[in-house]
Amino acid sequence: MNIVFTARKSSAVFQAIKGNFTGPEDLNLILGKGTRIEVYLIGRDGLKLIKEFGLYGEIACLEPFRPMGHTTDMLLVTTTHYKMLTLSLRMSSADSIAGSPQFNIVSDSLTELQDRHSRPSDAGQIVIVDPTSSLVCCHLYQGMLKCVTVNAAATAPHGQLQTPLTRSSGAHSFRVSARNSDKTFIDQFNLPIEEITIMSMVFLHGCQRPTLAVLYQDKKEIRHVKTYEFDLKINEKSETGWIQSGLTGASTCIAVPSPIGGLLVVGEYTISYFNPTLPSTSRSITINATIIQCYNRVDDQGIRYLLGDHRGMLYILVLILEDSSGSSSAQSSRSLQVVDLKFESLGTTSIPEAIVYLDNDHVFIGSHLGDSQLVLLHTEPDQHGEYLEVMETFTNIAPITDFEVVDLEGQGQGQIVACSGAFKDGSLRIVRNGVGINDRAVLELPGIKGLWPLKENLEATTEDTLVMSFLNSTRVVRVTPDAEMVQEELEGFLNDSQTLLSGNVKANLILQVTPESVRLIAPPQHIQAGLISEWKPPTGQVISVAAMNGTQCLVAVGGKTLVYLDVGSEVVREVGQTTFDTEIACVDVTSIDATNPHVSQVCAIGLWTDIKVILVRLPTLEIISSYSLLGEILPRSLLLSRFEGVPYLLVGLGDGQLLTFALEASLSTFPTPKRISLGTQPITLRPITSNNEVGGASSHVFACSDRPTVIYSSNRKLLYSNVNLKQVVTVAPFNCAAFPNALAIVGSDEEGVLRIGSIDEFQELHVQTVPINESPRRIAYLPQRKCFGVISIGVVEAEPETIGDTSVITCDEEEIGYVRLHDDQTFDLLHTYELQRDEAPQCITAVTFAGDPTNYIAVGTADTVSNDVPAKGRILILEISETNQLKLAAEVEVQGGVMAIKELQGKLLCGINERLCLYAWKTRENQASESNLILECSHRGFVLVLSLAIHGEFIIAGDLIRSMTLLRYTNGKISEIARDAWPDMLTALEAIDDETFIAADNASSIFTLVKNTETTSEDEAKRLQWSGGWHLGDQINRFKHGSLVMTNLENDAPAVPKLLFATVSGTIGVIATLTAEKYALLHHLESNMSKVIKGVGGLSHSSWREFRSDSRTLPSTNFVDGDLIELFLDLSQDEINDVLEGADGGEPIKVPVEEITRLIEELSRLH
């Protein structure tokens, strides 16, 4: 029983359109990202995201649509499950959030387009709307057009909607499907079409009846374009008699608007213009060979068009027109005569999936294979000869073909290193969870030992001054509103001594503690500027540690004596002192009384030799309670703090461990602490404040160490988020005019810098990009060598062919495979091993063979010249030298492609076409002519093995057609235990535990199988038993064990994260196992929520999550939709009541709402 969460939403752009969706005067960009839609407002400041929502369907087509009488555009959406819906965006009547208008999604119609007895089109769905918005034509199935007529009398959408949910990623924006009494669509009919392989379709402009131009390929693979005319009175079509043939390489039709009319046909080598009403105006130009993937019209007249190709080149196509005087012009459309075409390259962008010309020479490039971009077009070329400039980049990690989950910093939290993108946009992406520090300023200041902020007075909310302590000196610097750092000379402040502590105290004074004294200093604006009071320890003794708040200061003198000083007036007054048997290691006097933040009734002390923590009452200095720390690790830092009203004592140890005590009101006894490892070096605890949360600032604690961490609380539970820095010595809050809500951070001595940065969200995924400019296929991690092995494919363009005196560029490209070695810290390329021509790398793994301690990289390859199944391949064993060079240690040529490879008990298991082969490693130092790899055993019974997983002695094999097979390796033999009886095509698989196995298929579903251990039938025991299934709506390429959050050492998590998965659209997901009790509750909650909170467009949640494959459809079983469950936290009180009462056909839930809320909040922290 499992729950599925989205840790990172899809980032690939598959569709992009422009229109007036949120208002007649608003210009919007709409992006389709798999199962999500994003709505942007195009303004002077760029693109602003104003709405984001999910669908219970995977978007196949996204088109703008404006019926007669509407002043704004609608969204026409079709899904891969053949649903068609129309959506509008309307301003919400609810209050705006942060001054920004809120929009609701209005659904007008939901149309079923599925025909279960027809064969889907090979080219995918094509959906177009005629220029008068009277007809929608869909090519979904071979030999058939589905046509939907539009109701000309339909009015603009209206309806009563609820206030939109605050979490915009949900697929639930209204409670009851709001539909108009006047439907948008009034009729649906099918028309046969004899053209089977249709490449492209467009409606022509300026025609009396809807006229369809169809680009198709016949059985001889010759391409033609012809036109049909529709008669909507009788719902029929007829050929017009116009046809153009022999369009070699043609792939796209572009309709040219009136008054020019006609269409453009774009091919690999030519671009042609045709006008069926004026055959004599046909024009054609030759272009360098390329594959145009998308286009967009620049102007309303249809004179200029932007086109993007498969290499990431952006082109402009201009129609040269002949005006009434007979002269040629590209700026006039008074004449219908197209006399020429002009085609020019503008520059290089990401490989485009969609292009949208926005306005004022700005263009959006939506990409699936690389980052999406906002580019600005120029009239003059830059130094590289390009006419464009990238203004903004939108991170996209799709498609993720493989990934590793690694804990590079050894802090119990995994991070993903993924193979992302393809071709020139290929990259490695490092994805990690935690706190992001965005650098605002970085200064080279080596040797800083301590850092404290100073404010104008104790009650001020901003800081503009920093006290920096060095080994034998102190500097005071002020940051001006212009972000200039100016050194200050404060009268009375000791600059030639190390500072142990500094800060603001009452009476508008500043406290400085040095090893020699405690000093009260009046700032320059004070009447009596300079030193006004000083306390010194006895002669011959020094101050070793100190702590303070607004009125109190505690210092350790001579190692063992604790002195309590009153600094709340203009005199440093000694209140009392006490001496301990052992030296004082650390002390803290932060107030945990919310009503009196500047006076504490208690202080915390850490002792060296006794290795204990003590609570001492103030002002009497009597010991309240103590706690002995087990072991020999000393306390190095203490902090008393309140989280959500609960007082805590945090103790940072010298080995990087943190102890947390939830204190009782009496403080008479220490509770049992919770222990978590935050690193390996001593921890220094510093209070900071985050202003990210709605409703005001909240307290957080920064744990400085070699693995810096932010500690905060949610639902009365302490949480830990790693910081994207390698090491932090100390930190100070620094909220100044130049850098609002920032932190001042001191890095390691080696780094020697002071950085001022702002804090991101505390629990989000951060992405680092390492461009490799080719297609990464697979990745393997070698922890012992601290490097990654990556197999990739680079594309080398063929040299231009010379025909006579003419040089002709062709589309011919050659692919070359590589094995590349990258450092695991810098990700620098260390070495490259090039594969043979006509050979592609398929798989890679790290392997250590039995009897040989060397860490090798094993690579499987397959030939690229075979038509279907690879006829041959190689197994390569690569050794990494001391200088990080890849050296071939052994190779084996095999009959078939090596499609999957894994280490198994010190041996190498390979999936080679229809068989599994296990190779042992034999050292042959004196027989270099023979391979060290020896075939030990093999097993047949597959069509084509594509994936392997190892779990102990068990082997899980995924086949091209025969789904999953479970095998065991024992006694030198591989034997089959059981297999899945259904013929599913798998894209990924993994073992959840000893009994349960999970797989993803090519229909974007996931399912689990279990061993049938209870049956007495031998035949049934050989079948893997169906355990559960669920539709994700995105193709999974890889499962991996691991987690992106810190390991929970408290053993009280409501679910156990087992697997991460990555998809074609860039989604990263988490699968966690549930107990039967938790599953029953969450499944019940999911069912009730889906009945109360309807999906956008009226799409059904239960239908969407049904398991689907090419051969069957089954209800969702033993899976819970974690994304839907998390939306419970955003519901209104009325909606919560409906969910718990089981409204609209649900069953009442008897569990208290507080318990459900706490459970969901804990689950949300799993990702």
Side-chain angles (χ1 to χ4, degrees):
M1 298 173 185
N2 305 283
I3 186 168
V4 183
F5 295 100
T6 299
R8 193 178 198 278
K9 294 176 287 190
S10 58
S11 55
V13 174
F14 297 100
Q15 299 90 13
I17 59 175
K18 179 181 71 172
N20 310 107
F21 295 95
T22 58
E25 303 301 322
D26 292 344
L27 189 59
N28 302 110
L29 173 69
I30 312 290
L31 303 182
K33 293 187 172 183
T35 61
R36 297 189 305 111
I37 291 176
E38 293 179 353
V39 183
Y40 292 84
L41 183 65
I42 303 170
R44 293 182 179 179
D45 298 330
L47 297 176
K48 179 182 179 182
L49 180 65
I50 59 174
K51 187 69 176 177
E52 177 186 5
F53 59 95
L55 295 176
Y56 291 145
E58 185 179 355
I59 301 168
C61 295
L62 184 66
E63 294 291 334
F65 174 58
R66 185 181 295 194
M68 295 289 290
H70 286 230
T71 59
T72 58
D73 293 310
M74 304 171 70
L75 285 173
L76 178 67
V77 183
T78 64
T79 72
T80 55
H81 292 165
Y82 302 101
K83 311 283 187 183
M84 183 168 72
L85 54 152
T86 54
L87 305 172
S88 299
L89 284 88
R90 293 293 176 264
M91 186 85 73
S92 171
S93 58
D95 294 337
S96 298
I97 297 177
S100 300
Q102 299 300 299
F103 294 90
N104 283 320
I105 308 300
V106 181
S107 173
D108 176 70
S109 63
L110 176 62
T111 306
E112 179 62 62
L113 300 177
Q114 188 168 27
D115 190 324
R116 299 183 182 277
H117 303 292
S118 299
R119 179 179 175 183
S121 166
D122 291 336
Q125 296 186 20
I126 303 175
V127 178
I128 56 176
V129 183
D130 89 302
T132 63
S133 295
S134 60
L135 179 66
V136 178
C137 185
C138 311
H139 182 247
L140 312 176
Y141 299 98
Q142 290 187 5
M144 179 195 301
L145 294 178
K146 278 189 172 289
C147 303
V148 185
T149 54
V150 180
N151 183 5
T155 57
H158 62 274
Q160 299 301 317
L161 304 183
Q162 68 172 25
T163 302
L165 298 178
T166 56
R167 182 171 297 186
S168 60
S169 61
H172 332 272
S173 290
F174 53 88
R175 177 155 174 201
V176 178
S177 179
R179 304 190 181 199
N180 297 325
S181 56
D182 298 325
K183 300 298 183 182
T184 300
F185 302 126
I186 57 176
D187 194 13
Q188 178 185 156
F189 57 94
N190 297 337
L191 294 175
I193 186 168
E194 63 182 15
E195 291 77 28
I196 301 299
T197 307
I198 294 179
M199 316 293 295
S200 179
M201 298 191 319
V202 292
F203 276 113
L204 301 184
H205 292 246
C207 302
Q208 292 184 349
R209 292 180 175 179
T211 301
L212 181 69
V214 178
L215 174 64
Y216 66 96
Q217 179 175 285
D218 62 20
K219 295 181 179 178
K220 297 180 180 180
E221 298 188 355
I222 299 174
R223 298 185 182 181
H224 320 263
V225 62
K226 66 190 298 186
T227 56
Y228 289 94
E229 190 177 68
F230 288 87
D231 187 342
L232 298 185
K233 294 181 180 179
I234 59 175
N235 290 345
E236 291 291 345
K237 66 174 177 59
S238 60
E239 295 186 18
T240 64
W242 181 85
I243 187 171
Q244 290 288 327
S245 300
L247 303 174
T248 304
S251 59
T252 304
C253 291
I254 304 174
V256 179
S258 299
I260 303 172
L263 75 155
L264 294 160
V265 179
V266 181
E268 292 182 10
Y269 307 99
T270 59
I271 298 177
S272 303
Y273 169 80
F274 302 106
N275 193 331
T277 61
L278 297 170
S280 62
T281 61
S282 299
R283 296 291 184 268
S284 183
I285 59 171
T286 302
I287 62 174
N288 287 331
T290 188
I291 300 173
I292 300 297
Q293 298 195 147
C294 52
Y295 68 91
N296 191 240
R297 193 172 72 229
V298 173
D299 50 70
D300 294 336
Q301 297 84 2
I303 297 174
R304 294 173 295 162
Y305 300 84
L306 294 172
L307 298 91
D309 73 359
H310 69 297
R311 298 187 184 100
M313 293 298 298
L314 183 66
Y315 304 92
I316 188 166
L317 173 66
V318 182
L319 306 187
I320 307 299
L321 308 178
E322 187 178 79
D323 62 23
S324 57
S325 63
S327 62
S328 297
S329 172
Q331 306 299 323
S332 172
S333 60
R334 288 176 291 171
S335 171
L336 300 179
Q337 297 288 328
V338 177
V339 297
D340 200 3
L341 305 174
K342 187 177 181 181
F343 184 74
E344 290 187 1
S345 171
L346 298 178
T348 303
T349 66
S350 295
I351 298 173
E353 192 77 15
I355 296 175
V356 177
Y357 179 82
L358 302 177
D359 201 6
N360 295 326
D361 298 325
H362 285 80
V363 181
F364 179 79
I365 306 294
S367 182
H368 175 207
L369 303 180
D371 292 337
S372 295
Q373 298 170 323
L374 179 64
V375 303
L376 176 64
L377 303 181
H378 296 292
T379 56
E380 298 296 330
D382 61 14
Q383 58 184 353
H384 304 293
E386 299 202 339
Y387 292 83
L388 59 83
E389 176 185 0
V390 177
M391 306 299 293
E392 188 174 358
T393 297
F394 304 86
T395 301
N396 168 38
I397 63 175
I400 302 174
T401 55
D402 193 15
F403 68 96
E404 285 280 6
V405 184
V406 293
D407 183 7
L408 295 178
E409 286 142 11
Q411 57 190 120
Q413 176 176 349
Q415 54 186 288
I416 284 177
V417 181
C419 296
S420 295
F423 306 108
K424 77 174 188 63
D425 295 332
S427 63
L428 298 180
R429 304 282 180 140
I430 299 92
V431 183
R432 63 172 295 174
N433 207 336
V435 179
I437 302 293
N438 297 318
D439 287 343
R440 307 284 297 279
V442 179
L443 306 172
E444 290 190 13
L445 285 171
I448 298 177
K449 304 300 182 184
L451 187 69
W452 302 272
L454 293 180
K455 301 183 285 189
E456 185 176 352
N457 57 67
L458 186 60
E459 305 301 331
T461 58
T462 60
E463 302 95 356
D464 65 353
T465 303
L466 286 172
V467 176
M468 296 181 287
S469 175
F470 299 86
L471 187 60
N472 296 305
S473 64
T474 298
R475 269 195 223 175
V476 181
V477 297
R478 181 174 57 86
V479 177
T480 68
D482 297 329
E484 292 186 10
M485 189 167 281
V486 180
Q487 185 161 339
E488 294 280 291
E489 295 293 337
L490 292 181
E491 186 177 350
F493 210 93
L494 285 182
N495 294 321
D496 57 355
S497 175
Q498 179 183 5
T499 296
L500 301 179
L501 181 65
S502 184
N504 295 89
V505 293
K506 282 203 169 182
N508 293 337
L509 301 178
I510 297 171
L511 185 73
Q512 182 190 20
V513 180
T514 70
E516 296 81 22
S517 66
V518 177
R519 305 165 65 86
L520 271 180
I521 302 161
Q525 64 269 24
H526 200 277
I527 297 177
Q528 185 182 356
L531 179 67
I532 63 172
S533 181
E534 183 178 20
W535 178 90
K536 291 185 177 182
T539 304
Q541 295 186 346
V542 296
I543 300 171
S544 55
V545 294
M548 64 173 286
N549 57 39
T551 62
Q552 300 163 301
C553 180
L554 292 170
V555 295
V557 176
K560 300 180 180 180
T561 300
L562 180 69
V563 180
Y564 171 29
L565 304 172
D566 181 357
V567 293
S569 61
E570 295 187 352
V571 176
V572 181
R573 182 174 62 89
E574 181 177 328
V575 178
Q577 61 177 262
T578 185
T579 302
F580 297 94
D581 294 334
T582 58
E583 290 191 17
I584 299 171
C586 46
V587 62
D588 184 63
V589 69
T590 304
S591 174
I592 53 176
D593 183 356
T595 63
N596 198 350
H598 302 309
V599 178
S600 179
Q601 305 299 320
V602 65
C603 71
I605 300 169
L607 299 179
W608 283 89
T609 308
D610 286 352
I611 311 182
K612 66 170 60 173
V613 178
I614 299 174
L615 290 179
V616 175
R617 192 179 306 281
L618 298 178
T620 62
L621 295 178
E622 61 178 305
I623 295 177
I624 305 173
S625 56
S626 66
Y627 183 88
S628 294
L629 305 178
L630 301 178
E632 299 179 353
I633 306 302
L634 301 174
R636 300 296 294 268
S637 180
L638 298 171
L639 185 65
L640 290 159
S641 184
R642 292 179 67 89
F643 295 97
E644 296 184 296
V646 178
Y648 281 87
L649 172 63
L650 309 182
V651 182
L653 303 184
D655 62 351
Q657 293 194 77
L658 177 74
L659 302 183
T660 62
F661 298 86
L663 300 177
E664 300 173 353
S666 65
L667 303 178
S668 59
T669 60
F670 268 91
T672 302
K674 293 182 178 179
R675 182 184 298 258
I676 187 169
S677 176
L678 299 183
T680 60
Q681 299 299 315
I683 292 175
T684 301
L685 299 168
R686 292 286 182 264
I688 62 172
T689 299
S690 164
N691 291 295
N692 289 338
E693 300 182 6
V694 176
S698 62
S699 295
H700 295 72
V701 173
F702 199 111
C704 308
S705 71
D706 59 329
R707 304 291 181 259
T709 303
V710 170
I711 306 165
Y712 59 107
S713 177
S714 177
N715 194 30
R716 300 289 181 101
K717 184 173 183 179
L718 293 186
L719 301 177
Y720 307 88
S721 282
N722 295 111
V723 180
N724 63 344
L725 298 174
K726 297 225 170 176
Q727 184 163 357
V728 172
V729 173
T730 189
V731 67
F734 195 57
N735 179 24
C736 64
F739 307 111
N741 302 322
L743 293 177
I745 302 170
V746 177
S748 64
D749 291 339
E750 294 78 10
E751 188 181 24
V753 299
L754 169 69
R755 54 171 34 92
I756 298 175
S758 56
I759 303 177
D760 276 346
E761 295 296 328
F762 278 89
Q763 184 87 355
E764 69 171 18
L765 295 182
H766 302 273
V767 179
Q768 176 188 346
T769 303
V770 181
I772 63 172
N773 307 121
E774 59 193 21
S775 301
R777 295 288 304 276
R778 299 287 183 266
I779 186 170
Y781 183 47
L782 289 82
Q784 299 87 347
R785 301 307 304 267
K786 297 187 179 299
C787 61
F788 289 93
V790 179
I791 55 174
S792 58
I793 295 177
V795 176
V796 179
E797 295 185 8
E799 294 293 328
E801 296 181 5
T802 302
I803 303 176
D805 296 332
T806 304
S807 180
V808 179
I809 296 178
T810 69
C811 268
D812 294 337
E813 296 172 336
E814 184 179 15
E815 294 184 342
I816 301 177
Y818 302 97
V819 184
R820 301 196 187 273
L821 201 64
H822 290 264
D823 182 85
D824 74 348
Q825 297 296 319
T826 64
F827 290 91
D828 291 340
L829 180 62
L830 302 176
H831 194 240
T832 296
Y833 183 88
E834 183 174 327
L835 301 180
Q836 297 174 359
R837 301 299 171 97
D838 300 328
E839 177 184 46
Q842 300 294 335
C843 49
I844 185 173
T845 190
V847 58
T848 301
F849 292 107
D852 186 346
T854 308
N855 305 121
Y856 295 100
I857 292 177
V859 175
T861 73
D863 74 87
T864 58
V865 296
S866 302
N867 292 328
D868 297 315
V869 178
K872 61 180 181 179
R874 290 194 301 162
I875 303 170
L876 307 176
I877 306 298
L878 300 173
E879 184 178 355
I880 305 171
S881 69
E882 293 299 323
T883 57
N884 290 321
Q885 302 291 299
L886 289 171
K887 173 181 152 184
L888 184 64
E891 70 172 308
V892 175
E893 293 188 3
V894 296
Q895 299 299 310
V898 185
M899 312 304 292
I901 194 166
K902 290 285 184 181
E903 180 182 346
L904 174 63
Q905 298 179 17
K907 300 172 185 178
L908 194 64
L909 180 68
C910 304
I912 306 174
N913 282 12
E914 79 289 350
R915 65 194 187 278
L916 291 178
C917 297
L918 185 65
Y919 290 87
W921 182 257
K922 304 295 183 184
T923 304
R924 298 174 178 271
E925 297 179 357
N926 300 323
Q927 302 180 39
S929 61
E930 296 185 26
S931 173
N932 297 64
L933 280 179
I934 306 298
L935 179 63
E936 181 177 296
C937 61
S938 64
H939 180 87
R940 295 179 181 268
F942 305 93
V943 175
L944 183 65
V945 178
L946 293 180
S947 52
L948 291 171
I950 306 297
H951 189 77
E953 63 182 14
F954 294 106
I955 302 167
I956 307 97
D959 190 72
L960 176 67
I961 295 175
R962 296 182 178 177
S963 188
M964 182 191 297
T965 302
L966 178 65
L967 308 100
R968 177 190 286 130
Y969 171 67
T970 54
N971 301 322
K973 181 182 178 182
I974 299 174
S975 56
E976 180 177 317
I977 299 174
R979 67 168 59 234
D980 185 12
W982 287 92
D984 292 320
M985 185 180 296
L986 303 188
T987 60
L989 55 74
E990 189 54 82
I992 295 180
D993 52 39
D994 292 340
E995 303 291 331
T996 310
F997 314 98
I998 191 168
D1001 64 14
N1002 65 334
S1004 301
S1005 290
I1006 56 180
F1007 61 95
T1008 53
L1009 301 172
V1010 296
K1011 290 188 287 187
N1012 195 344
T1013 57
E1014 297 179 358
T1015 182
T1016 58
S1017 169
E1018 184 177 346
D1019 290 338
E1020 291 184 6
K1022 291 181 179 179
R1023 294 194 196 98
L1024 290 172
Q1025 187 174 353
W1026 173 269
S1027 173
W1030 194 73
H1031 187 72
L1032 177 66
D1034 198 356
Q1035 181 176 305
I1036 294 175
N1037 280 338
R1038 190 69 77 210
F1039 292 107
K1040 286 291 177 72
H1041 285 277
S1043 173
L1044 287 173
V1045 296
M1046 292 192 70
T1047 304
N1048 190 336
L1049 301 182
E1050 300 172 11
N1051 298 320
D1052 58 353
V1056 181
K1058 287 287 188 178
L1059 296 171
L1060 296 172
F1061 63 81
T1063 74
V1064 168
S1065 71
T1067 296
I1068 296 175
V1070 178
I1071 298 177
T1073 58
L1074 296 167
T1075 63
E1077 180 184 3
K1078 290 288 194 301
Y1079 171 78
L1081 172 60
L1082 293 172
H1083 180 63
H1084 191 178
L1085 182 66
E1086 175 189 38
S1087 177
N1088 282 10
M1089 287 185 65
S1090 66
K1091 291 179 175 63
V1092 173
I1093 309 300
K1094 307 296 184 182
V1096 166
L1099 295 173
S1100 167
H1101 177 268
S1102 59
S1103 297
W1104 166 238
R1105 293 307 186 189
E1106 287 179 341
F1107 170 81
R1108 299 168 186 264
S1109 70
D1110 294 337
S1111 57
R1112 54 187 167 156
T1113 300
L1114 298 170
S1116 170
T1117 309
N1118 285 339
F1119 280 91
V1120 174
D1121 187 343
D1123 295 342
L1124 174 60
I1125 291 295
E1126 285 184 334
L1127 289 175
F1128 182 85
L1129 303 176
D1130 297 323
L1131 299 182
S1132 67
Q1133 188 58 51
D1134 288 342
E1135 290 167 334
I1136 290 174
N1137 293 338
D1138 286 346
V1139 169
L1140 297 183
E1141 292 168 6
D1144 295 340
E1147 294 290 333
I1149 298 175
K1150 304 298 184 182
V1151 180
V1153 63
E1154 295 80 9
E1155 183 177 336
I1156 294 175
T1157 301
R1158 185 165 54 253
L1159 170 62
I1160 297 173
E1161 287 179 340
E1162 291 178 353
L1163 287 170
S1164 67
R1165 291 194 286 268
L1166 295 179
H1167 61 93

